[in-house]
Structures are given as structure tokens and as C-alpha cells.
Amino acid sequence: MPRRLVIAATALAALPFPAAAQNYGMKERVILGTMNICWDAERGGNLGKLTYEAGFDPTPQAQRPLYYRDVEGTVVFLSADFGPGDDGLPEPACRITALKPQVGAQWTPRGAILPDFNALLDRLISGAATMESGYRVVYRGQPNPRRPGTRHTLLRMDEGPRARLIYVEEAPTHYEFLYVRGSRKVVFDPSTLEIGTLPAGRTGMQAFVTDRYEIAFCNLNPHACETPEQRRSREQMARNATQARPPIAIPFSGIGSTGGGDNRSNEQKLRDKAWWENYHRCGRGKC
């Protein structure tokens, strides 16, 4: 049995891809750049430093090192495991996961997770074919019978007793990129692909992406996020605010307007005059 891949969300492209490859959008360039991060870390680079320099942040409360970066509405996650395999040799494994918020059809952002995915896949395959002895395309864009609604692509490089693979899974709600280098037993075992891209490992990431979006959305549109109880409370407060209040007592009568004139009685005028004279001499208290 292959060593269980202890990676939460990753994908390494063991390929020296140019991060600013032409004819790709920013999202696809970040995927390629993230693959380079994994490749550099496999060669001994500091993963934390590499991710920081590429604009990634550590994911809060993650049980294992997990990094994320926002890219034009898409969130790219990266994690990696460079520990030894059953044969005692290094068995690097990386997984990159690209997601966007999922909050129902009405509110989910309309932009594609990876709008130039096909061009990205072409670049991935062409670059892999020129690396060392070259990756071979086992299959491309085939429906995955084990995961309905997804398609997958597998590239593999045979290195004698060891081998490498690059695996891609595409679906309407996510993209996964998996890289593994290890013994032939591990790389040629179909369960390695399943373990390396377990949907359970993506659940927490999706919740993180959606929660951040909902918080930001509700801060800008509080009316759209009210619960029924909050709405009833707000409406009751509005009704209370419009109810008639008791008149505020004033020490003299107001001036009416009958034909634009003063309709106070002489008696009232005298009382008002006396109040103002006392006010100017003594303030609110009586002299």
C-alpha cells in the first residue's frame, strides 16, 4: 500500500514553468507559479519563505501547513509533504486546489475559477514532455467514473525504480493539481490519485473560502443577510421610531400663523414676554 499522502491541499508541477507565461490570465499564471514553488521546495527551498514571497498567507487554524492566495475572485491553496516513503527515500507530494465561493446560484460570483484552464493544461503537458526523460500522457480530460461530474488528466514519468506523476482533476466547483515522486509502487497505484485529491481534504478549504466571502458580502449588503428574527426586530424599531411622541413642554406658547400674523392673546403675549425677560436676566432659573 502506498504511504498515505499527508497533504491537505496541494499540487506540485515538477516543471520549471515560467510564472508569467504569455496568453494566460493571472489565475493561470499563479497556478504555474505555485507549481514552481513546489518544485523549488522539493530541491531544498524553504516552503514558508517561498510562499510568502509569492503572496501566499498561512491558512488560519489549519492542522498542517496550508497556504492560500486570493487571485481575482479565485482562491488558490497549496500544501506539500516532503517526507520519506516506505522505501526510506524522499517522497515529495504536493497539491494545489483552486476554488471560489459557493453560496447558492443567486450570490455565487459568476467568474470562472480558471477561465483559461485549457490553455493552462496545454502548457502543463507541453512543459512536462520536455522535462528530463519526459512525462507521457496516460489520459487527458477523461470523465472520472469514480467521481461523477469530474474529468481528469494523468501524466507519468518512468524513472526505473522510481517514477513521477502529475494529476489534474477539473470540476465546475474546483480544480486539483497533484504531483508525486516516489517508488513505482506508489506512483503506479491508482489509489495514490484518490488519496492525494480526497474531497474531504477540500471541505475545510471550501468552507474557509465561502465564509470569507459571506462576511465581506454581508458587511457591504447587511439587508441581504438578515435572518427573519433580525428583520422583524429592525421593522419593529422602525415602527417605534415613527410613532407620535408626547409634546415637549415649552415655557411659552408658540406663535401661530393666522394669515401670517401673531394670533396669541394679549394675556399670552404678556406671559411670554415675562418669561423671556426673566430668562435673559437669570437663565433658566427664576430670579
Side-chain angles (χ1 to χ4, degrees), residues 103 207-222 225:
V103 289
F208 174 75
V209 171
T210 299
D211 287 349
R212 291 172 67 243
Y213 177 81
E214 287 182 339
I215 291 170
F217 178 86
C218 289
N219 285 340
L220 294 174
N221 305 275
C225 303

Side-chain angles (χ1 to χ4, degrees), residues 189-207:
D189 188 336
S191 67
T192 295
L193 308 179
E194 300 299 312
I195 294 171
T197 59
L198 280 174
R202 195 170 55 247
T203 301
M205 291 182 284
Q206 184 64 71

Side-chain angles (χ1 to χ4, degrees), residues 63-182:
Q63 296 180 348
R64 299 186 179 91
L66 176 62
Y67 305 90
Y68 77 96
R69 177 179 170 179
D70 292 290
V71 192
E72 299 177 348
T74 292
V75 182
V76 177
F77 289 89
L78 164 67
S79 70
D81 173 22
F82 300 107
D86 292 340
D87 57 4
L89 298 175
E91 190 175 285
C94 295
R95 180 183 178 185
I96 296 169
T97 304
L99 303 170
K100 74 173 185 177
Q102 302 294 331
V103 289
Q106 183 178 4
W107 306 112
T108 295
R110 297 184 181 276
I113 298 174
L114 295 175
D116 297 322
F117 171 72
N118 288 330
L120 171 63
L121 189 58
D122 288 341
R123 178 66 185 93
L124 180 63
I125 292 173
S126 63
T130 63
M131 181 182 178
E132 298 186 15
S133 60
Y135 281 82
R136 180 177 64 86
V137 178
V138 181
Y139 49 82
R140 173 178 177 165
Q142 296 298 311
N144 186 349
R146 293 182 297 277
R147 294 179 183 172
T150 69
R151 291 181 175 273
H152 56 174
T153 296
L154 176 62
L155 313 179
R156 190 184 292 135
M157 179 192 294
D158 194 337
E159 299 178 306
R162 294 175 65 77
R164 310 183 196 190
L165 68 80
I166 297 174
Y167 179 70
V168 181
E169 178 177 284
E170 53 182 299
T173 58
H174 70 269
Y175 289 88
E176 297 275 15
F177 301 82
L178 176 69
Y179 166 81
V180 178
R181 183 180 186 183

